[in-house]
Amino acid sequence: MTKIAPSILASDFANLESEIKEVEQAGADYIHVDVMDGKFVPNISIGIPVVKAIRPVTDLPLDVHLMISDPENYVEAFAEAGASIITVHQEATSHLHRTIQLIKNSGTKAGVVINPATPVEMLKPILHEVELVLVMSVNPGFGGQKFIPEVMEKVEKLYTWRKEMNNYSYEIEVDGGVNKETSGLCKQAGADVLVAGSAIFNDRDREKAVSEIRDS
Ligand code: DX5
Ligand code: ZN
């Protein structure tokens, strides 16, 4: 079954605890946490203290998406705060392999993410080391943007490579513009986890929103 990871970027931050509990109740599999630094992406969101604050309010894994430059400097702090999976952008770190090792040594699962304009082949040297590969289907920085269908080709490649290589065991995640209209394309291409922000938190009926994305 496809996993759903609601992005709290689109939630009501004044009521974060109840927002998270509602989507957990609605059947979410991960809580997706979007961290932005105003440098790697043109927006600033939330960081380490918020991860720490939400860790005790849910049993779900915290899927932390770092949209920050030089993420290696903050990996340990996010792990200590309670991140379950830490995902770094290939474009944001000079030594991807070292950064992935650092995440693993900090005791959390390691993920890597690529922007829409980055070829997925760039990830080949690291694919045997990661537990998650995130394919951005919008340019990172904002919620509520339009899905870029061309990136599905990258999801298909990741799916095929994983079938071919028995040392590849990553989950394939898609992030950006995922809703009940676009989720079918992601699943067809081979995605295991779908991130959705506005499609879930802008709908009062979170259970319906989660199952529509999962089942359509
Ligand atoms: C984009 C973020 C996404 C975003 C998804 O920079 O990484 O996780 O919050 O939001 P929607 O689902 O609204 O595109
Ligand atoms: Zn994200």
Side-chain angles (χ1 to χ4, degrees):
M1 196 161 71
T2 310
K3 293 181 180 172
I4 306 295
S7 161
I8 56 169
L9 187 64
S11 72
D12 175 4
F13 281 134
N15 294 292
L16 199 45
E17 179 171 3
S18 61
E19 293 280 76
I20 289 172
K21 288 190 164 144
E22 270 192 34
V23 292
E24 179 167 13
Q25 198 76 42
D29 299 279
Y30 299 157
I31 298 296
H32 186 82
V33 183
D34 284 310
V35 178
M36 304 180 184
D37 66 350
K39 189 176 167 210
F40 179 67
V41 290
N43 197 5
I44 296 176
S45 59
I46 53 174
I48 297 152
V50 174
V51 170
K52 195 170 176 199
I54 64 176
R55 182 58 288 177
V57 315
T58 176
D59 293 327
L60 296 179
L62 299 180
D63 169 28
V64 177
H65 175 193
L66 297 184
M67 286 163 274
I68 65 176
S69 300
D70 304 322
E72 56 275 14
N73 297 335
Y74 302 96
V75 158
E76 278 156 339
F78 277 103
E80 227 165 89
S84 316
I85 311 168
I86 297 177
T87 302
V88 294
H89 272 264
Q90 183 274 337
E91 304 88 354
T93 180
S94 305
H95 306 286
L96 180 60
H97 189 272
R98 182 187 286 154
T99 305
I100 295 294
Q101 289 308 327
L102 192 66
I103 299 175
K104 293 173 120 181
N105 293 342
S106 74
T108 72
K109 292 188 174 177
V112 65
V113 44
I114 46 170
N115 285 334
T118 303
V120 68
E121 284 75 13
M122 300 282 285
L123 299 182
K124 277 230 164 161
I126 201 76
L127 286 178
H128 62 290
E129 297 279 1
V130 294
E131 277 127 330
L132 182 87
V133 181
L134 173 51
V135 175
M136 290 307 300
S137 42
V138 298
N139 288 290
F142 303 92
Q145 302 182 84
K146 196 170 169 284
F147 185 80
I148 303 170
E150 288 77 16
V151 305
M152 288 303 108
E153 205 180 294
K154 295 193 260 188
V155 175
E156 284 165 12
K157 284 185 184 169
L158 287 164
Y159 183 82
T160 308
W161 294 342
R162 187 179 60 192
K163 255 198 311 205
E164 288 167 358
M165 302 289 291
N166 52 25
N167 59 340
Y168 287 1
S169 56
Y170 49 77
E171 287 191 317
I172 307 167
E173 184 175 51
V174 176
D175 183 10
V178 175
N179 53 38
K180 62 176 192 279
E181 279 78 39
T182 56
S183 64
L185 290 174
C186 303
K187 280 181 272 178
Q188 248 169 43
D192 307 296
V193 187
L194 303 181
V195 177
S198 37
I200 292 175
F201 286 103
N202 291 353
D203 193 328
R204 272 319 308 158
D205 189 342
R206 273 74 197 267
E207 206 168 316
K208 175 180 111 288
V210 168
S211 52
E212 275 176 351
I213 293 168
R214 204 191 318 263
D215 302 334
S216 62

